[in-house]
Amino acid sequence: MIIDVDCHNYWSSAEVLLPYMDPFFKDYFIRGEQPGPRGAFPHAHRPWLHPEGFKRADINPVSEDDNYAIMKAKHLDHYGIDYAILTGDEALEASTLANPYYAAALVRAYNDYQVEEWLPRDDRLVGSIVIAPQDPQLAAQEIRRLGQNPRMVQVLASHGASRPYGDPFYHPIYEACAEMGLPFAIHLGGQGGINSNPIGAGPTTFFWETHAILPQSAMTHVASMIAQGVFEKWPQLYFVVIECGVAWVPSVLWRLDANYKALRKETPWLKRLPSEYFKDHIRFTTQPLERPDNLQHLWSLLEAMDGKNTLMYASDYPHWDYDDLNSLHIPPEWRQNILGDNAMQVFKRLQALDAAKKAA
């Protein structure tokens, strides 16, 4: 079983969303300002520009149909992927907009486009309910609107946010996730507009140095989700962190445990060590998996975070730093856990889909 938990379904133009927008926001999209040429997705841009572009050089769709055809040939079929969780692309950037109603309309249109245009193409594809977290009530409505669809397997937001994700401001989102039985995931992105600067000391200069340290925000979200008692309030909830690296995780957990032991009176609602909440509720993805000169150094860190049980395979298809499945540098005896078994545990709906497929 091979499950890719981060597979990006591109579009050639964001105008594919127009049939799924109500007249008011369709007019806003067509006549309003956009951060680029016609067909660009409305969002506030980050301070950095990629010097090359985000797609692999060999991924060059011409038509909308090409986006799926190339994914099928170069990824799904080539690697024998059993399930690929679609994570969209630009739709996550709706989190950067100051107008929460426009942001909610954009992700709603994307979600409907995904359900109508992508999921019917291939029964290996499953979807994410993308939300605009700047208005948690509207986000919760979107989760409940699509939460009964058995092929929508998670709720997805950008890792860029206006405040740490454990903040009670966001709790309506987790209430809806728990009600629908869906994990809450964040994906690298949303680093502009109303969202906090992801670099703690202020904007860095070059994209390569920025890309290396963007996980700073993920560290904050992990600490916040634990400290604010999210997993005590919703004990079945999984929190999935996508494309934020993993080698930093053990050191942050060690620090959280040490400080909690000394100062636990601040958060009397917590019943266990932060590292224990992590092992039961938080999952990370392999891409981008750090590449030290001595592979044993990485494997020691992965063991320290119980990586055999807390990591899930992600390709990041079709991005420039895509991870080739055949070159995934993890302990060989962990491969089945990381390639499929861990995802099956987190994404419960995949179990039902797989059982139905085998029974057919």
Side-chain angles (χ1 to χ4, degrees):
M1 179 66 67
I2 301 175
I3 301 170
D4 181 0
V5 304
D6 183 21
C7 185
H8 294 285
N9 47 312
Y10 267 48
W11 52 48
S12 298
S13 166
E15 290 185 345
V16 296
L17 303 183
L18 289 175
Y20 303 99
M21 302 182 75
D22 68 40
F24 175 81
F25 287 111
K26 182 184 291 187
D27 180 73
Y28 203 136
F29 186 102
I30 293 171
R31 295 167 55 85
E33 181 183 5
Q34 294 181 355
R38 179 171 177 170
F41 183 79
H43 67 279
H45 213 283
R46 61 193 180 280
W48 311 278
L49 298 175
H50 196 302
E52 291 285 340
F54 285 94
K55 283 190 295 188
R56 284 166 39 184
D58 64 326
I59 306 294
N60 296 297
V62 176
S63 67
E64 288 298 333
D65 287 340
D66 286 346
N67 287 298
Y68 166 68
I70 295 173
M71 176 196 288
K72 181 179 185 298
K74 294 197 172 187
H75 184 56
L76 301 177
D77 292 349
H78 183 71
Y79 293 105
I81 304 297
D82 291 285
Y83 294 100
I85 300 178
L86 301 178
T87 48
D89 194 57
E90 291 180 300
L92 286 172
E93 301 297 317
S95 72
T96 64
L97 297 175
N99 184 335
Y101 310 108
Y102 191 27
L106 289 167
V107 296
R108 180 187 178 102
Y110 165 74
N111 290 329
D112 287 343
Y113 156 78
Q114 175 188 204
V115 168
E116 295 293 328
E117 303 292 337
W118 276 90
L119 297 188
R121 292 177 181 266
D122 197 313
D123 63 6
R124 293 172 291 184
L125 301 179
V126 292
S128 305
I129 302 174
V130 175
I131 59 169
Q134 57 266 58
D135 189 322
Q137 296 296 342
L138 290 178
Q141 289 177 23
E142 183 66 2
I143 294 166
R144 292 186 175 100
R145 185 179 75 88
L146 289 175
Q148 299 291 346
N149 186 323
R151 292 183 66 189
M152 302 299 273
V153 301
Q154 70 176 355
V155 173
L156 182 63
S158 67
H159 102 305
S162 61
R163 60 186 82 189
Y165 271 123
D167 192 300
F169 173 78
Y170 294 117
H171 285 194
I173 294 172
Y174 312 137
E175 180 69 35
C177 287
E179 184 181 320
M180 295 292 108
L182 293 169
F184 174 68
I186 59 172
H187 188 291
L188 193 77
Q191 297 133 17
I194 63 170
N195 290 337
S196 300
N197 191 293
I199 309 302
T204 38
T205 303
F206 304 107
F207 185 83
W208 71 261
E209 63 170 324
T210 306
H211 191 261
I213 57 177
L214 281 175
Q216 289 181 38
S217 294
M219 299 177 196
T220 302
H221 295 315
V222 166
S224 177
M225 292 286 282
I226 294 170
Q228 293 279 6
V230 170
F231 306 119
E232 283 292 336
K233 197 169 182 180
W234 293 284
Q236 304 303 316
L237 183 68
Y238 277 107
F239 176 44
V240 180
V241 182
I242 304 172
E243 203 177 319
C244 291
V246 297
W248 55 267
V249 173
S251 64
V252 170
L253 292 176
W254 294 332
R255 293 178 66 87
L256 289 174
D257 278 359
N259 282 273
Y260 172 71
K261 289 175 183 177
L263 302 169
R264 68 180 71 192
K265 69 179 183 181
E266 277 194 296
T267 52
W269 46 84
L270 297 182
K271 310 301 181 186
R272 296 186 290 161
L273 290 173
S275 60
E276 294 173 334
Y277 287 111
F278 167 82
K279 289 180 180 179
D280 285 348
H281 296 279
I282 301 179
R283 297 293 180 266
F284 276 76
T285 63
T286 55
Q287 202 285 331
L289 192 58
E290 291 83 355
R291 295 180 175 273
D293 292 335
N294 186 334
L295 193 58
Q296 290 299 324
H297 293 166
L298 173 64
W299 287 7
S300 294
L301 290 170
L302 297 184
E303 185 175 5
M305 62 178 285
D306 190 26
K308 181 179 180 181
N309 299 303
T310 61
L311 284 176
M312 301 185 294
Y313 165 64
S315 70
D316 195 30
Y317 173 92
H319 287 168
W320 63 283
D321 52 348
Y322 169 88
D323 278 359
D324 187 316
L325 177 62
N326 295 332
S327 302
L328 190 61
H329 47 292
I330 56 175
E333 63 272 21
W334 294 8
R335 286 186 71 85
Q336 190 51 55
N337 282 55
I338 292 174
L339 294 186
D341 289 354
N342 294 342
M344 270 293 183
Q345 180 182 14
V346 172
F347 303 103
K348 306 293 187 186
R349 294 185 178 184
L350 289 181
Q351 299 174 17
L353 290 171
D354 197 55
K357 184 183 294 187
K358 290 175 179 176

